[in-house]
Amino acid sequence: MGQPSDKGPGNDQPSRRALSMFFTFFRIGAFTIGGGYAMLPLIERELVHRQGWISEEEIVDVFTIVQSVPGTIGINSAIFIGYRLAGFRGAAAAALGMVLPSFFIISVLATLLVRFRDLAGVQRAFAGVRAGVTALIFIAALKLGKKVIQGIFPVVVAIAAFLALVIFNLHAIAIIASAGLAGVLRYRLFRKEL
């Protein structure tokens, strides 16, 4: 999964491939409000269902991998998928495509917000946006959960991870590492069942 793939956007030329990656991730970056986990449904829809560049199983693996390294999930996903589909050029194009819309929009909004942040209409708009972003994150969690949490072992790991996060306030890295270790131990103990 780590090597650049022959399948994917515009296999005739690396430049076309990279350009296709740039515009795809530019579109994702431009139309995602809330960033981070709110991006997951858009990334999946664009790359799996619309473009057909990677499979549903692969996108779940990508999200798992990119969450376990430093950085935001959107940029990490862009770099990982860009590299997989078009090498270093694809990774750079995908990352640039993902970052530029936010850079331009934040530059404009920062200027405007300083002037208009105290207006009642602006405050109401942000209240609505926050509610919408919460719904997007919840939907992303449900979709990933349906694909990943199948069988008793994944259910137990998911519940344990949830409790570790909510009740014991453990760091996400510790939870991911522990879940990975649990998966390795289960494989070693019950290899014949898998």
Side-chain angles (χ1 to χ4, degrees):
M1 188 164 167
Q3 293 300 315
S5 172
D6 290 334
K7 63 183 178 178
N11 291 317
D12 50 347
Q13 288 182 340
S15 298
R16 281 179 128 177
R17 236 184 291 175
L19 194 61
S20 182
M21 298 295 293
F22 173 81
F23 284 117
T24 297
F25 280 98
F26 188 91
R27 195 166 45 245
I28 292 168
F31 294 106
T32 303
I33 295 178
Y37 294 102
M39 257 181 195
L40 298 184
L42 263 71
I43 292 172
E44 180 182 5
R45 186 179 68 203
E46 188 69 30
L47 302 180
V48 175
H49 303 294
R50 186 167 179 195
Q51 302 290 350
W53 291 344
I54 57 177
S55 69
E56 288 190 6
E57 293 77 22
E58 288 174 309
I59 198 72
V60 171
D61 291 342
V62 168
F63 291 155
T64 302
I65 291 166
V66 300
Q67 287 181 87
S68 62
V69 296
T72 64
I73 193 168
I75 300 298
N76 289 351
S77 297
I79 293 168
F80 189 94
I81 294 166
Y83 177 78
R84 184 178 182 284
L85 296 175
F88 287 109
R89 190 178 294 184
L96 194 60
M98 186 68 91
V99 169
L100 281 180
S102 298
F103 175 77
F104 292 134
I105 292 168
I106 287 171
S107 298
V108 171
L109 284 179
T111 305
L112 294 175
L113 212 57
V114 169
R115 290 182 176 180
F116 303 113
R117 67 179 165 208
D118 294 328
L119 294 177
V122 172
Q123 296 296 322
R124 290 182 189 126
F126 275 108
V129 167
R130 284 191 294 267
V133 167
T134 302
L136 286 173
I137 293 169
F138 182 70
I139 289 168
L142 286 178
K143 281 185 158 185
L144 283 174
K146 285 180 186 175
K147 292 173 190 164
V148 175
I149 304 173
Q150 297 177 354
I152 293 171
F153 178 73
V155 168
V156 170
V157 171
I159 291 170
F162 179 79
L163 293 175
L165 188 63
V166 173
I167 294 174
F168 300 107
N169 201 25
L170 290 181
H171 196 279
I173 292 174
I175 294 170
I176 291 169
S178 299
L181 181 61
V184 169
L185 290 174
R186 179 178 185 257
Y187 174 76
R188 289 190 178 228
L189 292 172
F190 305 104
R191 193 174 302 192
K192 292 177 183 175
E193 294 180 13
L194 298 176

